[in-house]
Amino acid sequence: MKMNTKVVQFLVPVLSILFSFFIGAILIASIGGNPIEAFQFLFKGAFGTKANIGETIVKATPLIFTGLAATFAYKCGVFNLGAEGQFVMGAVVTIWLSSIQLGLPRIPMLMLSIVAGAVAGGLWGAIPGVLKITRGLNEMIVSIMLNYIAILFMGFLYSGPLREDNLPQTAQVIVKLPRIIAKTRVHVGIVIALVVAFLIYYFMFHTAYGFKLRSVGLNRRAAQVNGFPVKTLMLLSFIVSGAIAGLGGSVELLGTQYRLMAGFGEGFGFDGVAIALIGQLNPIGTLLVAYLFAILRTGATTMQVGTGLPTSVIDIIQALVIVFAVAGSALVNLPKIRQVLANWSAEPKKGQGN
Amino acid sequence: MDIFLSLPFLQELLLSTLRMATPILIVALAELYSERAGLVNIGLDGIMAFGALAGFLVSYQTGNPYLGILAGALGGILVNLVYAFGTIQLGAQQIVFGMAINIFAPAIASFIYKMAFGSSSSLAQATLMAAIPIPGLSRIPFIGDVFFNHTPIVYLTFLLVPITYVFFAKTIPGLNYKSVGEYPKAAESSGIHVVMVKYKASIICGALAGIGGAYLTTSYISTYSDGVVSGRGFIALTAVIFGRWMPGGILLAALFFGFTDALQLRFQVMNSKTPYQLLAMIPYISTLFALIFFGIKKAGPASSGKPYFREER
């Protein structure tokens, strides 16, 4: 039975992805394209050359961070929709540190920048957490409002106090994350992302505190009755979730974008939510789905150049995956379907003595 | 500070308040109809985005913004039926599925826009809906211009407030409807078709939220762009909480948010020295503070957010 739920958990996202590609193919055909050719270009764009493979990894890096941020919060049953704002605030603090010229050597400066980004994200994430546990406010609305405030604040900075010359953008950061693979833009950020993913996985599934956190997500009342510090755990999950997103913003700035301008971090928050949900709220699943999203993104441009199809076809595929994955997870949890699945898994076990 | 007291400024501000409150109000009422049937719909932003696109496209093609509004309503219904199927039939978590709609619907809208207009940077412009002054009343000095010189959508939206109040408080179908959001099992045993009510609620919610989106592209700005909704769906969600799930309360909440938006826009026009980003934060910050000070008590329908399975005991 336990094996079975794991199989289902794995099958739902895989089938959702296949199904979305299938519908995407129909869509491409219906607007006069050749789906097979389009997908060939898509994968060529994502894996064709060493530089392309690198570019896919570069695109995956920020998505892993926001995906993990969403996963972490949802595991504790709180909905952090504010990853975009936390991501932006992480980057904002990083660029501010860069602008005040501390005169630190490169490595300490990088470490300070990244830690400061995580702290800023954590503090920005703490706001909905504190308001939820003290005033019972809806964390989704609060975190969405904070997204808009953070983005406007960033806009204020790059077109005002931190503006460089005439363009509405900041200067480049003074220290950059080192690149790790020759002839690609892959930087050390991907290593940080993988380490964070592993740490979260370990914390969630192999520590007592992680167990308590998950139990709050599964059944808040039961956790409370068991004497778990429910409110503290919820606040903690907000702060950690925000810190992961803030770290992501800092890494994206120091490793890929180098400066803040319009559109920085745009959509990463909701993409993170989608990635977390498709990845079944599992850190490893999050990694894989973030990588898939990155493949779609890098490949989409090549597909557009190669076939003339608009990149938004790929956005549709991405959007379909989330709907199918969410619907699919609900479907397998319907009482009737559950019964069928239980029977199905019980059959072969007959004769093995329960 | 004198300028605040000058009559033209005040008139312009109030006029703008009503105009900006309209999309919030109609979408908040959409949410009320949904929640009264036990469906918390946080996909309002997505529905609005699709409504905005449908409204713009039809109004651009036909030159008739009224058809645009109609298209917005139909588009909204279409999107919300996906939500309805997922949450009612499949019993998906409403919050999660609403979030999926928020990601899915704007992507579709953006795709359709690009298919229709290409990726060219020149924005297509549609004709805006003209204001229809109410004969007689609009001639009253000051008040006439503020209240009786709007597009029909504004009048209809505000008219929807007393209609909704009467429906839920004074009519049998309205009370039956409400019982679905409070205690669906009791409703079912007294002969109400719970699933049917939920679907009806989703259609009403989709239509109203779609109109709210279409209002933006047919009566407020004449172009469509991704992100045109900019969180208004979530502000409407706040208006429902802030207004304590009562039509009158929601009206006040929507007027408050409309006022903050209008104030922000007026400031931008008047004061070119203050960076616009700081002014544009006003509505979002006000929403936060509105929640902090007035959003504590939980007063929503008791069974809102819970899936309903007919066969389950």
Side-chain angles (χ1 to χ4, degrees), chain A residues 192-211:
Chain A
I192 302 176
L194 292 174
V195 168
V196 170
F198 174 76
L199 285 178
I200 291 174
Y201 180 82
Y202 185 80
F203 173 81
M204 285 280 184
F205 298 103
H206 295 281
T207 67
Y209 222 68
F211 168 74

Side-chain angles (χ1 to χ4, degrees), chain B residues 23-24 26-27 43-54 76 79 102 105 206 208-214 216-217 224 228-229 231-234 236:
Chain B
I24 307 283
I26 195 164
V27 178
L44 296 170
D45 247 45
I47 303 172
M48 283 180 82
F50 196 76
L53 181 270
V79 171
N102 274 336
L208 293 180
I211 292 173
L216 295 175
T217 47
Y224 170 86
V228 66
V229 176
R232 285 193 176 83
F234 285 96

